[in-house]
Amino acid sequence: DPKIIQKPKYLVAVTGSEKILICEQYLGHNAMYWYRQSAKKPLEFMFSYSYQKLMDNQTASSRFQPQSSKKNHLDLQITALKPDDSATYFCASSQDTSQNTLYFGAGTRLSVL
Amino acid sequence: GEQVEQLPSILRVQEGSSASINCTYENSASNYFPWYKQEPGENPKLIIDIRSNMERKQTQGLIVLLDKKAKRFSLHITDTQPGDSAMYFCAASEANSAGNKLTFGIGTRVLVRP
């Protein structure tokens, strides 16, 4: 029974379109994150949120915008999609941001054509 | 920032033998080093971690070593089984990272031959 739910599992989009990746966690955690995993690259940190506040942003492009409507939600809006955005996007959470264990969701595999 | 180098990229071992993966980091402020295992199509799962106040940690057939002077840490899987075949990622986190940012290595594919 997954405690971090990511939707959808697979997503195909056309170049220039906009998509929202959904993430909800039911672990009672206060911190949530987005990571990206592309082919032949390490898992790459994108954002961290704590109590719905942005703590760190390592994403150069403003096309990526996290949205936190509730403490256990951290969606990721991606606008003007490019083929280079194709990757698996993992949502993660931890009790707080003081270096506690990160738990990852199952990921959303995004393909941009 | 931080950069983590991980070697080897592929590791083939015989069932019952041990497997070792090595990682190095650059930022001496890093003080938390987790290891994740990822099976095909699955999410990464934490298998063991070590903090900078320790040099060695062991749990269920896994040993991690940390050499802070050399900025090196390693994972040793003892008595490998086919179920140990997976991708393994090391990571490092900086003590002064406000957002608990983990910097990952590129991963090691471990293949255990029966």
Side-chain angles (χ1 to χ4, degrees):
Chain A
D1 188 23
K3 300 296 187 189
I4 301 180
I5 298 171
Q6 287 192 245
K7 297 179 204 175
K9 190 166 175 63
Y10 301 99
L11 186 56
V12 179
V14 295
T15 298
S17 66
E18 172 183 315
K19 293 293 179 187
I20 295 181
L21 281 55
I22 305 293
C23 179
E24 308 168 23
Q25 56 90 5
Y26 295 93
L27 293 164
H29 287 168
N30 300 311
M32 295 185 72
Y33 312 82
W34 278 101
Y35 280 78
R36 172 169 52 200
Q37 187 174 42
S38 307
K40 299 188 180 178
K41 285 188 181 179
L43 269 159
E44 179 187 10
F45 174 91
M46 298 180 74
F47 300 96
S48 63
Y49 269 65
S50 179
Y51 292 93
Q52 295 185 264
K53 285 188 167 38
L54 178 67
M55 299 298 289
D56 197 357
N57 175 0
Q58 296 290 324
T59 303
S61 173
S62 60
R63 296 186 298 107
F64 295 85
Q65 290 292 329
Q67 299 170 345
S68 181
S69 58
K70 294 187 226 178
K71 194 180 85 169
N72 69 327
H73 281 235
L74 186 65
D75 300 336
L76 181 64
Q77 180 186 42
I78 314 174
T79 57
L81 278 160
K82 302 178 181 180
D84 275 354
D85 297 330
S86 298
T88 300
Y89 291 82
F90 286 102
C91 175
S93 71
S94 64
Q95 186 59 52
D96 55 47
T97 54
S98 62
Q99 298 184 337
N100 285 329
T101 302
L102 248 62
Y103 295 86
F104 285 87
T108 292
R109 182 173 288 186
L110 172 66
S111 298
V112 183
L113 307 176
Chain B
E2 175 65 284
Q3 292 212 34
V4 175
E5 183 170 334
Q6 182 172 351
L7 290 170
S9 55
I10 300 176
L11 184 56
R12 295 182 176 88
V13 297
Q14 197 69 36
E15 182 178 353
S17 66
S18 62
S20 296
I21 305 169
N22 298 294
C23 291
T24 57
Y25 60 99
E26 292 187 357
N27 190 341
S28 55
S30 290
N31 65 351
Y32 174 63
F33 307 92
W35 287 86
Y36 283 81
K37 177 182 180 182
Q38 186 178 26
E39 303 196 53
E42 299 285 321
N43 54 328
K45 294 180 176 65
L46 180 79
I47 52 173
I48 192 169
D49 57 11
I50 190 166
R51 297 183 189 272
S52 59
N53 60 349
M54 299 177 74
E55 294 178 350
R56 185 181 194 276
K57 187 173 180 181
Q58 180 170 357
T59 180
Q60 296 179 334
L62 301 174
I63 300 170
V64 289
L65 303 174
L66 173 62
D67 181 343
K68 285 177 289 185
K69 279 187 181 173
K71 295 182 195 170
R72 183 169 55 218
F73 57 115
S74 57
L75 173 70
H76 306 272
I77 309 170
T78 60
D79 188 24
T80 52
Q81 299 298 311
D84 294 324
S85 295
M87 283 291 290
Y88 291 81
F89 296 93
C90 62
S93 176
E94 299 170 43
N96 56 3
S97 166
N100 193 21
K101 173 189 171 186
L102 283 177
T103 300
F104 283 85
I106 198 153
T108 296
R109 183 174 299 280
V110 173
L111 301 166
V112 180
R113 296 186 297 247

